[in-house]
Amino acid sequence: MTIDPALFAAALRALTPILFAALAGALCQRAGVFNISLEGTMLVGCFAGVAGSWFSGSAWVGVLAAMAASAAFSLILAVGHVTLGADPIVLSVAMNMLAVGLTAFLLRTVFGTQGSFSDPALQGLGRVDIPLLADVPVLGPVLSGHSPLLYLSWLAVAGLAVLLYRHPWGLRLRGVGENPEAATNLGVSVTRHRYGAIVVGGALCGLGGAQLALGNVTLFAENMTAGRGWIAVVAVMLGLAAPIGVFLAALLFGLAEAFGFRLQAVGLPQQAADAAPYVVTLVALFLSSRRIRRRDEAKGTLTR
Amino acid sequence: MTDVLRGRRGAVLIALGAAFVVATVLLAATGADPLRAYQALVVGAFGPDGFPGTLAYLVPVLGMAIALAIPLRAGMVNLGGEGQLVLGAITAVIIGLHSPLPAGFTVLLAVAGGVLAGASYAALAALCETSLGVPLLVSSLLLSYPAMSLASYLVRFPLADPGSSLPQSRRLPEGVALPGIGLGEVTIGLFAVLAVVVVFLVVDARTPAGYEVRMTGAGPRFAAYAGIDRPALTLRLLAASGGMAGLVGAIMVLGFPFRFIDGALISPQYTWIGLMAALLAGASPVGTALAAFFFAALTNGGFDMERVTQTPRELTAILQAVIIVFLAASTGLLRRRGGSR
């Protein structure tokens, strides 16, 4: 097996949908909402992205459709949990189930097909070559020539970091997550901030879904998120809900996936490659568990 | 059952009503006649031709519901049911194919092996929480994927059926099967699952162990003060949970089609339907059984509904999720209005 730029480029592609979903999870976590509906919300985005692209003939309309549909879908969690006081885990499990059923149902009623939908006329996102960077040896092939949403995901990391740590809204959001009573006493609306976090998170999941269905490939398949939303939940935990941490956690997963596929070339069975990212993530969690546990004990979140 | 419905009867009615409205809208939107669809759904679920199919669904759905309800009773969520289910099934197939014993003993050994495989794998997830500090929710979930990959590898290569292009194991030898009960494909596995429900009910309601579990579920801090050894409890509950999942896996391969087909235990979403049933009932034994029966009937009725009205049967999966969403929301609302939050 050779370690070459293509390997790292593959890792970056693999991590992008997870990164979007994990940023969504981090945002919710910061607002004090434990969101494990990322898997389903992303799947809704995959379908809406493909449907939007197919009916408009433009991949970007597909991206917008994915963001809108996923944001709307995440309202179930916002209304159910924030307004009506439902248990977020129960709601999330039902939402994931709903997304699987709903997208399969729509696949059959809208496209009249089962299993998957792809068509040569379906518009994907294509690739962007970054001027100048594309010509740099090693770095060029790794960093250039990806889907535009991949670059957007890095902007989202930076944007979320600035928002959370350098903007009053982020400060208030963290306050809502860490001490809702105090936030309320200071006149900060817990409801409004949690709604914001969940719905913006939904739109981010939609971007992840669009990248998966229109960026990495150009098709919709039933249950195509295949556990990526769950990995995102883990990435939030591993990255301590900080944008950079979440990025590194998602990168670890992307590298494991890319390495796994590369190892197939030297005779490792495909199933071992499939399992590799989960095992690597679990090991990473062991190694960082002390840190996580300390933080959880301080905050009393997540372990439940 | 009283603790399921106490204060929740209203919530259940709201949820069922909401699902009914959603279903009617979706049916009308696809151009189907809702009345015919409902009729087909009910006949498909409970009619003389449909009921055996409902019972066949009940085995995995109820089995997984109970598996997930056991730790849920103490407030612990086991998200790794799929891996434990599949490991139980593949272990039973390996034993079934290779045991030199007479068929009857092989079946018993295969069931025991399936239970043990599921139990030890779930115990591993518990150890991840108690010894390594990875939350159970995550350790159980993450461990599930390698188990599914392992099973997939085994049926595609060492155990593969050479005469078939499908990813499936060889067929179990003649006689290595659970006896049928004369109702479609239903085997005595149904009674095994029902027996576990009864044991769960008795332990939950009548024993100190059950009381410990419920107390932990009601207030983990208080339970800790009361001297409950949480790590040991986690280990025991997860082993019981995984053992039940493994039992379901063994039952599924020791009945039709008498082999392990890759994905056949995953794509019908038994684990997630089971988890929803357990969540719906607050993990109470009888409530979980009723919810699982309802979901099994709905899922099976969906096939007839699809045949009669051309409405995709995925509609029933949507309905199950809608019921849970509305139930969770209305329970939350009632609790909040009651002021006992």
Side-chain angles (χ1 to χ4, degrees):
Chain A
M1 190 188 76
T2 52
I3 290 175
D4 56 24
L7 178 72
F8 293 98
L12 292 183
R13 273 196 299 278
L15 85 84
T16 304
I18 296 158
L19 179 56
F20 275 123
L23 290 175
L27 193 60
C28 292
Q29 186 71 40
R30 288 296 172 139
V33 177
F34 186 38
N35 184 354
I36 55 170
S37 67
L38 305 173
E39 173 88 0
T41 311
M42 192 155 52
L43 186 61
V44 167
C46 290
F47 183 85
V50 165
S53 171
W54 172 252
F55 286 111
S56 70
S58 151
W60 286 105
V61 173
V63 171
L64 291 178
M67 289 174 74
S70 292
F73 188 71
S74 68
L75 276 173
I76 298 175
L77 182 64
V79 176
H81 173 55
V82 181
T83 303
L84 300 175
D87 185 312
I89 294 189
V90 178
L91 271 184
S92 293
V93 168
M95 284 169 74
N96 290 331
M97 191 80 189
L98 180 61
V100 173
L102 196 62
T103 52
F105 181 86
L106 288 173
L107 184 66
R108 291 180 65 186
T109 46
V110 176
F111 294 111
T113 169
Q114 240 172 314
S116 66
F117 172 77
S118 63
D119 191 286
L122 183 62
Q123 293 298 314
L125 280 164
R127 279 141 197 257
V128 213
D129 280 315
I130 310 277
L132 297 178
L133 183 65
D135 302 324
V136 180
V138 185
L139 275 186
V142 173
L143 297 177
S144 182
H146 291 294
S147 140
L149 288 190
L150 185 138
Y151 302 110
L152 185 66
S153 73
W154 298 353
L155 289 180
V157 172
L160 192 63
V162 170
L163 183 71
L164 279 178
Y165 303 118
R166 294 272 179 276
H167 193 277
W169 193 81
L171 180 69
R172 288 197 286 266
L173 186 85
R174 284 186 292 142
V176 163
E178 271 159 37
N179 195 336
E181 287 81 14
T184 309
N185 290 341
L186 290 172
V188 175
S189 165
V190 173
T191 305
R192 206 178 306 157
H193 283 81
R194 288 192 171 161
Y195 262 73
I198 292 172
V199 173
V200 171
L204 284 169
C205 283
L207 285 170
Q211 166 65 18
L212 201 56
L214 299 172
N216 289 5
V217 290
T218 309
L219 59 87
F220 177 82
E222 282 178 26
N223 221 346
M224 72 186 295
T225 41
R228 287 180 179 82
W230 290 108
I231 283 292
V233 171
V234 179
V236 174
M237 201 171 286
L238 197 57
L240 302 179
I244 303 291
V246 159
F247 175 78
L248 293 175
L251 181 64
L252 180 72
F253 183 86
L255 279 173
E257 188 171 315
F259 264 109
F261 278 118
R262 191 58 69 89
L263 284 169
Q264 263 177 264
V266 294
L268 192 79
Q270 185 211 329
Q271 287 76 18
D274 291 344
Y278 300 97
V279 176
V280 169
T281 311
L282 196 60
V283 171
L285 272 175
F286 291 159
L287 298 179
S288 67
S289 65
R290 223 171 280 141
R291 218 161 40 116
I292 290 176
R293 185 170 269 190
R294 254 206 315 272
R295 202 252 341 223
D296 277 358
E297 272 165 10
K299 272 211 223 153
T301 54
L302 268 180
T303 40
R304 204 177 124 97
Chain B
M1 172 163 152
T2 46
D3 58 328
V4 196
L5 292 181
R6 186 178 299 143
R8 293 181 78 185
R9 198 171 286 135
V12 171
L13 287 178
I14 293 172
L16 292 177
F20 184 72
V21 171
V22 169
T24 309
V25 168
L26 283 178
L27 283 167
T30 55
D33 174 0
L35 215 60
R36 274 186 69 206
Y38 288 130
Q39 196 187 358
L41 187 74
V42 172
V43 171
F46 301 108
D49 296 331
F51 193 63
T54 297
L55 286 184
Y57 260 100
L58 184 63
V59 173
V61 170
L62 174 58
M64 293 312 291
I66 294 296
L68 302 172
I70 290 169
L72 199 60
R73 201 65 170 146
M76 300 168 189
V77 184
N78 172 12
L79 282 184
E82 293 195 327
Q84 295 144 21
L85 169 73
V86 163
L87 270 194
I90 199 80
T91 307
V93 164
I94 292 172
I95 294 174
L97 286 173
H98 296 289
S99 155
L101 299 171
F105 289 108
T106 299
V107 170
L108 289 179
L109 199 64
V111 170
V115 171
L116 199 65
S120 26
Y121 206 61
L124 189 62
L127 285 175
C128 284
E129 172 172 279
T130 55
S131 310
L132 297 164
V134 178
L136 187 64
L137 199 72
V138 169
S139 63
S140 60
L141 178 79
L142 282 179
L143 282 172
S144 197
Y145 291 94
M148 289 190 274
S149 296
L150 175 68
S152 169
Y153 172 77
L154 290 174
V155 293
R156 279 163 196 269
F157 301 103
L159 303 174
D161 182 0
S164 162
S165 59
L166 292 172
Q168 61 182 21
S169 75
R170 292 191 294 279
R171 196 181 187 284
L172 292 175
E174 199 61 42
V176 179
L178 291 170
I181 59 168
L183 269 175
E185 290 154 7
V186 185
T187 66
I188 58 165
L190 175 65
F191 299 122
V193 170
L194 291 175
V196 178
V197 176
V198 172
V199 171
F200 180 33
L201 175 66
V202 171
V203 170
D204 182 75
R206 295 261 179 267
T207 67
Y211 179 69
E212 264 185 26
V213 168
R214 278 182 289 134
M215 188 163 70
T216 306
R221 286 243 168 81
F222 176 72
Y225 284 127
I228 288 175
D229 181 356
R230 191 181 166 90
L233 185 70
T234 307
L235 194 63
R236 280 205 303 274
L237 286 177
L238 261 287
S241 170
M244 182 63 182
L247 175 67
V248 175
I251 290 172
M252 295 306 281
V253 292
L254 289 167
F256 181 82
F258 309 104
R259 58 173 100 227
F260 188 103
I261 303 172
D262 198 18
L265 296 177
I266 300 303
S267 45
Q269 310 252 5
Y270 298 132
T271 309
W272 297 102
I273 298 176
L275 181 58
M276 289 206 304
L279 290 170
L280 176 70
S284 97
V286 176
T288 301
L290 287 177
F293 181 67
F294 177 63
F295 283 171
L298 203 55
T299 305
N300 188 50
F303 286 97
D304 266 31
M305 185 193 68
E306 175 171 313
R307 206 162 36 80
V308 173
T309 65
Q310 268 77 53
T311 312
R313 64 174 178 278
E314 284 82 6
L315 180 67
T316 59
I318 297 176
L319 291 189
Q320 294 173 21
V322 167
I323 291 171
I324 302 287
V325 165
F326 275 90
L327 186 82
S330 42
T331 308
L333 191 65
L334 293 176
R335 190 176 48 202
R336 187 167 281 193
R337 200 183 285 154
S340 61
R341 218 177 123 74

